[in-house]
Amino acid sequence: MSNDLAKFINSKRRHKTDVAISRQVKIAQSHNTFNQTNIKQPHRLAKRHAMDCGNPGCFLCGNPRKTHKDRLTQQEKRLFQDLEKTSDRHSNGLPKDQDE
């Protein structure tokens, strides 16, 4: 680290990691997680989330293509929706001609 720019970039990267770890520790403390080692050893949360149980078959943590029956993610559902049908995202669900 010969110059000030390299030192600044390195300190910025370390600060970003520390902030991410502190956020995950805060989440773990607020939810009273079953695994208390995350709170005692916070650097374990550097590369994984506090609420991730690690079970790939879990409905919340696992891959939606493997755990859900529809096999499509929300983003893919939006991509493949019918584009000819006009829908207003902020409506009450009625077509535009039936509004009260």
Side-chain angles (χ1 to χ4, degrees):
M1 301 214 195
S2 60
N3 58 10
D4 291 335
L5 180 65
K7 290 180 182 179
F8 176 73
I9 291 172
N10 191 22
S11 66
K12 187 176 177 183
R13 178 184 52 83
R14 287 184 179 182
H15 176 70
K16 185 177 176 183
T17 304
D18 292 340
V19 169
I21 291 171
S22 65
R23 284 183 188 152
Q24 293 300 319
V25 168
K26 189 188 303 184
I27 290 170
Q29 287 174 344
S30 67
H31 288 284
N32 292 329
T33 59
F34 56 90
N35 191 1
Q36 294 296 325
T37 58
N38 292 336
I39 297 172
K40 293 177 185 175
Q41 299 173 355
H43 195 71
R44 288 182 176 218
L45 297 172
K47 291 191 176 182
R48 70 179 196 92
H49 297 288
M51 299 305 295
D52 185 14
C53 67
N55 182 10
C58 177
F59 194 75
L60 295 174
C61 305
N63 186 354
R65 291 190 181 110
K66 296 184 179 180
T67 57
H68 300 79
K69 292 184 179 181
D70 55 5
R71 302 284 186 203
L72 290 176
T73 61
Q74 290 290 52
Q75 186 176 12
E76 290 169 344
K77 286 179 187 177
R78 274 186 252 123
L79 178 67
F80 297 132
Q81 74 182 358
D82 189 16
L83 296 178
E84 286 80 28
K85 179 182 171 187
T86 59
S87 62
D88 189 12
R89 293 182 68 184
H90 302 289
S91 71
N92 58 0
L94 296 173
K96 290 185 178 186
D97 57 350
Q98 294 180 1
D99 284 338
E100 295 179 283

